[in-house]
Amino acid sequence: MFTTVEIRAGGFEYSPGTLHIYSDSLLTLPAIIGIGGGGGLLLLVIIAVLIAYKRKSRDADRTLKRLQLQMDNLESRVALECKEAFAELQTDIHELTQELDGAGIPFLDYRTYAMRVLFPGIEDHPVLKEMEVQANVEKALTLFGQLLTKKHFLLTFIRTLEAQRSFSMRDRGNVASLIMTALQGEMEYATGVLKQLLSDLIDRNLESKNHPKLLLRRTESVAEKMLTNWFTFLLYKFLKVRHSFIS
C-alpha cells in the first residue's frame, strides 16, 4: 500500500515522497486457502494410509490364524491316521505271530541292531575294529576319553562344535553316535549330559519363539540325535523281552 507524505509547517508545504506500508499478514487470502486445502488433503491421505495398513494387518492376522488352524487340523488328521495304522500294524503282527507257529520272529543281535541305528548304511565301521596307532596317539586318545567323562568338558565340546558354521547335519549325527558309543557303558552319566543338552535346546526354542510342536521334530541338533541313540540303547532289552514273550 502506497501513501503520499506531506509536511506542513505554517504556510510551508513540502512533500518528500511516498511511503510504502506493508500489511501485517504476509499471506494473502488465496495463499491461506491453498495451504489449508493442502494440509487437509495431506491429513486425508495419512488417514487413508493408516486405514489401509490396519486392514492389511487384519487380513494378515486372519490368514495366519487360518493357516495355523489348517496346520493343526492336518496334524490331528495325521496323528489319527498314525494311530489307526499302528492299530492295524499290531493286528497284522498278532496274525503273523499266530502263523509262525512257534518259529519266532527274526531278531537282530545287539551289535547289529545298534550299528544300524548309530551308523546306518555303514557295515564295516572303524568303531568295530581294533585300532593300530602309535603310542603317543593311543595316549592322546586315552586322555581324550577321560575328558569325555567330565561333564563340563563334554558340554563345552558339543556346544563349540555346534557353533561352527561348517558343522553339517551329517557331522552332528556322527558326533552324537560316537559320543553315545563311547558312553554306552556309563548310561547314567550320559543321561545327565543329555538332560542338560535338552534343557539348553528347550531354552533356545523359547527364545526364538518357535512353535512348541516343532521341538524334537527336525532332529537338527546333537542333543536330538543323542536322544535317538539313547532310546536305541535302552529299548533293546525291552524289545528282546517283548520278542521272547511274543515267541
Side-chain angles (χ1 to χ4, degrees):
M1 178 179 180
F2 296 91
T3 184
T4 302
V5 179
E6 295 182 354
I7 300 174
R8 295 180 181 180
F12 177 78
E13 292 184 4
Y14 174 72
S15 178
T18 58
L19 181 64
H20 189 189
I21 300 175
Y22 293 93
S23 175
D24 293 339
S25 176
L26 297 178
L27 298 177
T28 62
L29 182 60
I32 295 174
I33 295 175
I35 293 175
L41 181 60
L42 179 62
L43 181 60
L44 290 176
V45 171
I46 293 175
I47 293 175
V49 170
L50 291 177
I51 293 175
Y53 175 76
K54 186 68 176 178
R55 186 172 299 173
K56 282 284 186 181
S57 299
R58 191 181 298 113
D59 293 342
D61 291 339
R62 290 176 180 173
T63 302
L64 181 61
K65 291 180 180 179
R66 185 169 62 253
L67 291 176
Q68 186 65 47
L69 181 60
Q70 291 176 354
M71 290 179 60
D72 293 340
N73 292 335
L74 179 61
E75 289 182 355
S76 300
R77 289 198 299 268
V78 171
L80 180 60
E81 291 178 1
C82 290
K83 291 180 180 179
E84 294 175 353
F86 182 72
E88 293 177 1
L89 180 62
Q90 285 185 317
T91 303
D92 294 341
I93 291 178
H94 181 68
E95 294 176 354
L96 177 62
T97 54
Q98 290 179 343
E99 294 175 358
L100 289 176
D101 295 329
I105 299 175
F107 199 79
L108 297 175
D109 61 280
Y110 177 76
R111 178 173 176 173
T112 305
Y113 159 80
M115 290 300 297
R116 289 190 178 183
V117 176
L118 294 174
F119 308 102
I122 304 178
E123 298 294 336
D124 192 20
H125 197 277
V127 297
L128 300 175
K129 303 177 182 179
E130 290 290 338
M131 296 183 61
E132 297 181 1
V133 295
Q134 299 178 358
N136 57 342
V137 176
E138 183 177 358
K139 183 178 180 181
L141 291 175
T142 301
L143 294 175
F144 182 72
Q146 294 175 357
L147 287 174
L148 291 180
T149 61
K150 308 297 181 182
K151 186 175 181 179
H152 179 71
F153 170 81
L154 183 54
L155 291 174
T156 304
F157 176 69
I158 294 174
R159 291 165 182 165
T160 302
L161 288 177
E162 288 191 312
Q164 305 298 317
R165 293 185 177 181
S166 58
F167 196 51
S168 64
M169 294 294 298
R170 185 173 183 178
D171 295 334
R172 296 171 193 267
N174 289 333
V175 168
S177 297
L178 290 172
I179 290 176
M180 291 303 295
T181 300
L183 299 180
Q184 62 177 323
E186 302 179 21
M187 290 304 297
E188 184 175 353
Y189 167 70
T191 302
V193 173
L194 183 57
K195 288 172 62 178
Q196 183 61 52
L197 290 174
L198 291 176
S199 177
D200 295 343
L201 181 63
I202 293 172
D203 291 338
R204 291 198 301 270
N205 187 79
L206 293 176
E207 290 175 359
S208 58
K209 298 182 180 180
N210 291 331
H211 199 284
K213 292 183 179 180
L214 297 179
L215 187 64
L216 302 179
R217 180 176 295 182
R218 298 179 179 177
T219 318
E220 295 179 345
S221 65
V222 174
E224 292 170 294
K225 295 183 180 299
M226 287 180 62
L227 180 63
T228 301
N229 300 332
W230 183 82
F231 275 114
T232 299
F233 292 150
L234 297 183
L235 283 177
Y236 179 79
K237 184 177 180 180
F238 169 79
L239 294 174
K240 190 172 184 179
V241 172
R242 179 70 175 175
H243 161 258
S244 301
F245 175 75
I246 293 176
S247 300

